[in-house]
Amino acid sequence: MPLSARHPPITYPQHLLALPLAFTAALAAMTLLSPVVRNTHLLWSFWGATASLIAWNGLLLAGALRRGWTLRVEVVLRKQHYLQACAQASVLLYWGWYWREVYHSAHLVAAQLLFAYAFDMLLSWSRRDTYTLGFAPFPVIFSINLFLWFKADWFYLQFLMIVVGFAAKELIRWEKDGRRTHVFNPSSLPLGIFSFGLLLTGTTDITWGHEVANTLNHAPHIYLMIFLIGLPGQFLFGVTTMTMSAAVTMYAFGLFYFALTGTYFFFDSYIPIAVFLGMHLLFTDPSTSPRTELGRIIFGVVYALSAIALYDLLSGLGAPTFYDKLLAVPIMNLAIKAIDWVARSNAMKRFDPASLARNLAGRRRHLAYIGVWTTVFIVMSAAQGVGDSHRGHWVPFWQRACDEGRPNACRNLALLVSTHCSAGSGWACNEYGILIQPVIRPESAARAFKRACDLGFAAGCANLDPGRADAPLRTLPSLTDYPIVLREGKGPLPSAPPLELYQRACTQGFGDGCEQACRLGDLKAC
């Protein structure tokens, strides 16, 4: 069954240059949209991109007229492009329902698509007579926007990311399995380069990177959703072993780390949701990954271990950790020939799963791997290895771990209660002030106590007293605090009666929750 549909090439002398000009005109028309007009920096980013494309189009037209070039368009609809695009679009739509900034930025995604088509056409015709028209820009743009956005004032850098990705795809190529193909995944290379640049310059705040990585968790059952939308591509292109080996490696490391330290390496999960997304929709491009089955397993293991190592390195440097899933992929793309060479070596042949069940071939084999991965995913979900509920979101867990002096526990507790404080919990503000008072300037703790006091939490007001000689006053959360401090990464809890809140508090380890639930009639909490 063909993986792409080809149509006879469309041939005209120079008239086809109207095609990139049409995309450029559509991009220029977007400068009339009110969100673009209202931001001068964004407007200039659009005009700069438009002017560059028009100038390039003019130069190409002049050359075509002078030399009598004949330009062609060949329509090729490859399954790996439109299936990947559908999967990515599904994530964007589902995620956007719970973080509306995605929907509010839809015009910016559309602008990137228009720019990508025009740029890709002009670059191709600058090097050869034929441009292959299909869905190729869609998965590149969607993939970039699933992991990193520049804010409106810096949006020209988003266009530059597209330039880097498509230029690398066109210009950096090698021989692989008897055919010439691109070396780098066209979305992972710009993501890796720009991530490194942002880290080097300390300018992460010009992006939505932190929000993009963390708000994915706002959508309920997002792990299950990502698992399901990855299945069609795994069935058609045989990339299941990459995803499965990456997920199993990271989960096994998390279990080992917990057994060793009593805390979670990734703070509130075994596999962070953005990394789980990367395991399905970033590094699994079949064109830039190993060809052997054992090579793909190694590739997945390397991705997981690199994300773990980068998270630890970035955390130790005090840098944003969400870059962990992005930085290594371009280097991994460079290593695929070496990985396949190792996988084919005599020493590794005994470990090659391709030698097992040789009667299973092609998509029957892909289906068998999907069956194994489905079983593994169900087991991991049942063990809370992935999913909406995880003890790393529970404040009492980190309080006990901090009291016991476990690695990074106090730091993670501070991060958790400061987040709840920002969301409006007076109790969390008071806890944050108590936690940082011995190690950070008293003024910072005083600000936390004042925030607690302003939110109506009496203990925070008492702790503001400069003449207080006793230890800071610590009390239990109130009923108004629980809807905030009981969150598990999904944003605000739906409105619930007191009994339900106390039951949830009891489950998470708040002793007062159990007492109050018992008082309200829940005998299991007594």
Side-chain angles (χ1 to χ4, degrees), residues 309-380:
L310 285 166
Y311 179 90
D312 189 52
L313 175 63
L314 294 170
S315 180
L317 294 172
T321 55
F322 66 84
Y323 294 114
D324 56 355
K325 61 194 169 292
L326 305 176
L327 291 168
V329 180
I331 300 171
M332 291 171 58
N333 293 155
L334 282 172
I336 62 173
K337 287 186 177 182
I339 291 173
D340 272 335
W341 180 82
V342 169
R344 292 185 178 112
S345 65
N346 291 329
M348 297 297 291
K349 279 183 180 178
R350 72 187 73 176
F351 304 109
D352 190 352
S355 62
L356 302 174
R358 293 183 183 276
N359 59 315
L360 284 177
R363 292 180 184 169
R364 289 178 63 200
R365 194 173 194 86
H366 298 173
L367 195 60
Y369 285 135
I370 287 174
V372 175
W373 171 222
T374 300
T375 304
V376 169
F377 180 80
I378 291 171
V379 171
M380 288 170 58

Side-chain angles (χ1 to χ4, degrees), residues 428-441:
C429 294
N430 189 61
E431 290 295 310
Y432 182 60
I434 293 171
L435 191 63
I436 66 174
Q437 195 174 42
V439 293
I440 300 179
R441 291 177 305 172

Side-chain angles (χ1 to χ4, degrees), residues 24 27 44-59 115 118-119 122 159 163:
T24 305
L27 179 62
W44 277 107
S45 294
F46 272 68
W47 280 125
T50 300
S52 300
L53 293 172
I54 290 173
W56 193 356
N57 207 99
L59 290 172
F115 179 82
F119 181 86
L122 293 171
F159 288 128
V163 169

Side-chain angles (χ1 to χ4, degrees), residues 10-95:
I10 304 167
T11 305
Y12 292 103
Q14 296 85 29
H15 299 81
L16 283 177
L17 284 172
L19 196 55
L21 197 59
F23 282 101
T24 305
L27 179 62
M30 296 190 75
T31 60
L32 302 176
L33 296 175
S34 58
V36 180
V37 173
R38 287 198 301 265
N39 188 307
T40 304
H41 295 93
L42 181 60
L43 185 62
W44 277 107
S45 294
F46 272 68
W47 280 125
T50 300
S52 300
L53 293 172
I54 290 173
W56 193 356
N57 207 99
L59 290 172
L60 200 57
L61 177 60
L65 291 172
R66 185 171 62 254
R67 301 176 189 179
W69 287 343
T70 298
L71 304 179
R72 297 178 177 85
V73 170
E74 185 178 15
V75 179
V76 181
L77 307 179
R78 293 190 171 93
K79 284 187 178 179
Q80 62 261 42
H81 292 156
Y82 59 76
L83 278 179
Q84 188 85 337
C86 288
Q88 293 160 340
S90 299
V91 175
L92 287 166
L93 290 170
Y94 185 59
W95 170 34

Side-chain angles (χ1 to χ4, degrees), residues 91-92 95-96 98-99 101-103 105 109 112 141-151 158 161 191 204 206-219 222 226 272-275 277-278 322-323 325-326 489:
V91 175
L92 287 166
W95 170 34
Y98 295 94
W99 189 51
E101 190 63 37
V102 178
Y103 290 177
S105 301
V109 177
Q112 292 170 67
I141 301 307
F142 287 169
S143 181
I144 288 173
N145 283 268
L146 280 171
F147 295 99
L148 188 64
W149 308 349
F150 283 91
K151 292 179 180 177
Q158 200 81 18
M161 286 176 64
L191 285 169
T204 295
I206 70 173
T207 76
W208 289 98
H210 180 78
E211 292 83 357
V212 166
N214 288 281
T215 56
L216 279 164
N217 242 331
H218 288 184
I222 186 67
I226 292 171
I273 184 58
V275 177
L277 179 64
F322 66 84
Y323 294 114
K325 61 194 169 292
L326 305 176

Side-chain angles (χ1 to χ4, degrees), residues 476 506 510-520 525:
L476 297 168
C506 180
F510 286 98
D512 178 65
C514 297
E515 293 175 10
Q516 295 296 335
C518 177
R519 185 179 60 83
L520 292 174

Side-chain angles (χ1 to χ4, degrees), residues 1 9 20 44 84 122 217 250 267 299 363 408 462 480 494:
M1 187 173 177
W44 277 107
Q84 188 85 337
L122 293 171
N217 242 331
M250 188 165 282
F267 170 35
F299 201 62
R363 292 180 184 169
N408 300 320
T480 57

Side-chain angles (χ1 to χ4, degrees), residues 239-253:
V239 296
T240 311
T241 47
M242 284 190 279
T243 296
M244 179 169 57
S245 60
V248 169
T249 299
M250 188 165 282
Y251 181 49
F253 173 83

